[in-house]
Amino acid sequence: METQQSFFEYIRGERENNDSVIEVVGPRVCYYKFNFVVGNNSKDKAYKGVLYYEKDGEIAHVKFVKVDKEETARSAFKYFSRISDEGILRPWFYVFCKQKCFRSLPYNEELVNGVWTVCYDHYDESLYNWVKRVVRDTGSSYTESSKLPIKNARNCLHPYWIETISQLINVVARVHGKGFFHSSLKKKENYVMGEKCLKIINFGCSLEGKNQTYQDELKKDNFVDIKIMLGYLFESLLAPKTPSSKKKATNFDLSKEWIEANRFLKFFYYIHIWNYEKFVSKLLGHPFLKSPQERLEWIDTVNNDRKDPSTQWDVLTVLGKVDFFVFASWKGMSKNANVYTVEEADHAVRRHFDNFLEVLYVCWSCR
């Protein structure tokens, strides 16, 4: 591990020995500060901090995120310039942090021994801490109305989470396309809360040098991890709490509490059946990630294809004439604006034709 002092000496030597008439060499120094709680900091994964680039100058608010080793920190920083995606939080640098040894600090205090950290753009909290906070706060549905409740009265996903999950899928697919993958997307600490959507941190593993079969497995593992993370999110926000401890009930069953979400998670199984590109495309188009208006418009498209001589055979082969006819007749009735709003029609379709949209989508995807 190279110390900062030795690196400064290296820079000074590079500058003094620079004989090039076109190359400029020099340092740009900043210093950082962050706080930690004595005796409790080992439980913390991130620290609020600031950067100073000049004496008494303006400060930049940042977060220092602990990582397990130097290589993890180096990779997260080194690969960002090649990944560079709006869905990934920007790192400023990585650094080994040590606190001065004070008598009031225990000898084994973590930051006295030192930890590797990545300095990121400021964010409010990790997904893990956000979930803990809103589950504990009985008024969170009001204070976090831009994100909650995750499921509305008609069993639809909140628009924030439609956007967030869709962007998450797109981000991971884009990063895979640039030759990188994440080491563990099932860890809630690797997601941070943003106003518009989640962002990912610690994205620093390369697919380079790995054979195609292994690359495909690593990319599939990332989506399996996303499924695990979403399962945690749905259960944490929906499971009833016991009155005494406010802990999640042990008998929570997502298939009973929110069947549409449960079916969406089961859809991830197709990562093992379809090719990668098809799976990503179909996952993004899943009915669970559509608004009520988009779901009804999608049904219109299929219904029109059923009537079109050039495409009707495909539709009838997939769905069967009688089943879709019954469904289409209901849909025609639901168009009556004097009786139903778009949201009411969408809800009625999903309630009275349970599982039809899922079957329709899977069959249509497999044709």
Side-chain angles (χ1 to χ4, degrees):
M1 181 185 68
E2 185 177 48
T3 65
Q4 293 295 296
Q5 182 63 39
S6 63
F7 186 61
F8 291 148
E9 292 172 358
Y10 166 76
I11 296 173
R12 182 171 61 183
E14 287 291 296
R15 186 175 188 280
E16 292 175 352
N17 297 325
N18 179 27
D19 298 325
S20 173
V21 295
I22 60 172
E23 189 176 63
V24 178
V25 178
R28 180 66 172 97
V29 180
C30 74
Y31 83 92
Y32 62 85
K33 293 196 298 187
F34 64 79
N35 295 326
F36 67 96
V37 180
V38 176
N40 189 50
N41 66 300
S42 61
K43 298 179 183 178
D44 297 332
K45 300 296 183 182
Y47 312 105
K48 291 182 180 179
V50 293
L51 301 181
Y52 295 81
Y53 283 93
E54 58 186 54
K55 184 179 179 181
D56 301 324
E58 291 186 3
I59 61 175
H61 293 275
V62 293
K63 272 285 185 72
F64 288 83
V65 178
K66 291 194 305 186
V67 293
D68 55 348
K69 54 187 176 182
E70 180 180 6
E71 181 57 34
T72 304
R74 183 187 293 115
S75 296
F77 176 73
K78 179 175 69 172
Y79 290 135
F80 177 79
S81 60
R82 292 167 60 185
I83 295 174
S84 187
D85 193 281
E86 63 179 358
I88 300 175
L89 198 67
R90 179 183 66 171
W92 290 68
F93 55 81
Y94 66 97
V95 63
F96 186 74
C97 303
K98 288 188 70 171
Q99 172 63 293
K100 291 171 63 177
C101 188
F102 293 96
R103 289 185 178 183
S104 59
L105 291 176
Y107 174 74
N108 65 345
E109 185 64 40
E110 185 176 42
L111 278 166
V112 173
N113 296 327
V115 295
W116 278 102
T117 67
V118 181
C119 177
Y120 283 101
D121 275 339
H122 176 77
Y123 62 89
D124 290 331
E125 54 192 336
S126 68
L127 174 65
Y128 175 74
N129 286 336
W130 179 81
V131 169
K132 283 177 57 180
R133 179 174 60 79
V134 299
V135 168
R136 188 172 57 244
D137 181 8
T138 55
S140 58
S141 291
Y142 299 98
T143 60
E144 297 281 348
S145 59
S146 63
K147 303 177 182 70
L148 295 174
I150 194 169
K151 177 185 74 167
N152 68 16
R154 294 191 173 97
N155 291 337
C156 291
L157 184 64
H158 191 291
Y160 173 89
W161 294 104
I162 291 178
E163 178 67 23
T164 283
I165 296 172
S166 298
Q167 174 163 304
L168 181 59
I169 296 167
N170 274 315
V171 168
V172 173
R174 286 197 300 265
V175 173
H176 287 168
K178 295 176 181 179
F180 298 93
F181 70 100
H182 200 288
S183 61
S184 184
L185 284 174
K186 63 187 171 187
K187 289 185 178 179
K188 287 76 69 179
E189 294 84 357
N190 283 326
Y191 302 88
V192 298
M193 300 301 296
E195 281 302 314
K196 295 183 178 180
C197 57
L198 288 179
K199 290 195 174 187
I200 304 172
I201 61 174
N202 299 334
F203 218 133
C205 297
S206 176
L207 294 168
E208 188 177 357
K210 298 173 175 60
N211 64 55
Q212 190 60 52
T213 301
Y214 190 35
Q215 288 187 29
D216 292 343
E217 288 302 315
L218 290 171
K219 291 190 288 187
K220 288 178 181 178
D221 287 346
N222 272 184
F223 279 101
V224 172
D225 282 356
I226 291 173
K227 173 193 173 184
I228 294 171
M229 181 277 291
L230 291 176
Y232 155 81
L233 179 71
F234 295 149
E235 179 173 348
S236 297
L237 297 179
L238 295 173
K241 314 298 182 296
T242 57
S244 57
S245 63
K246 293 189 177 181
K247 293 182 179 179
K248 295 193 295 290
T250 57
N251 60 346
F252 177 80
D253 186 348
L254 185 62
S255 66
K256 296 179 180 178
E257 295 293 332
W258 196 6
I259 194 167
E260 288 94 341
N262 188 62
R263 288 170 180 156
F264 175 66
L265 295 184
K266 286 186 175 182
F267 191 82
F268 278 79
Y269 171 75
Y270 289 97
I271 187 69
H272 304 294
I273 298 177
W274 297 332
N275 66 51
Y276 176 83
E277 290 74 17
K278 178 176 181 177
F279 169 77
V280 172
S281 172
K282 298 305 180 183
L283 188 63
L284 283 168
H286 195 281
F288 185 66
L289 298 182
K290 294 180 182 291
S291 67
Q293 180 69 41
E294 289 170 334
R295 276 192 288 270
L296 294 181
E297 288 175 354
W298 173 69
I299 295 168
D300 266 338
T301 300
V302 179
N303 195 28
N304 291 334
D305 286 346
R306 182 181 67 89
K307 299 174 183 178
D308 188 332
S310 65
T311 55
Q312 65 180 188
W313 178 251
D314 289 339
V315 179
L316 296 177
T317 300
V318 170
L319 303 174
K321 184 176 180 180
V322 175
D323 290 342
F324 196 78
F325 176 78
V326 172
F327 175 75
S329 67
W330 162 257
K331 190 194 164 300
M333 182 178 66
S334 70
K335 282 184 173 181
N336 189 337
N338 296 323
V339 180
Y340 295 104
T341 65
V342 169
E343 290 76 14
E344 288 169 341
D346 172 69
H347 184 225
V349 166
R350 289 183 289 110
R351 186 174 73 250
H352 291 288
F353 291 84
D354 180 43
N355 201 32
F356 188 87
L357 287 182
E358 177 74 13
V359 172
L360 173 64
Y361 188 71
V362 172
C363 291
W364 197 244
S365 299
C366 292
R367 74 190 193 282

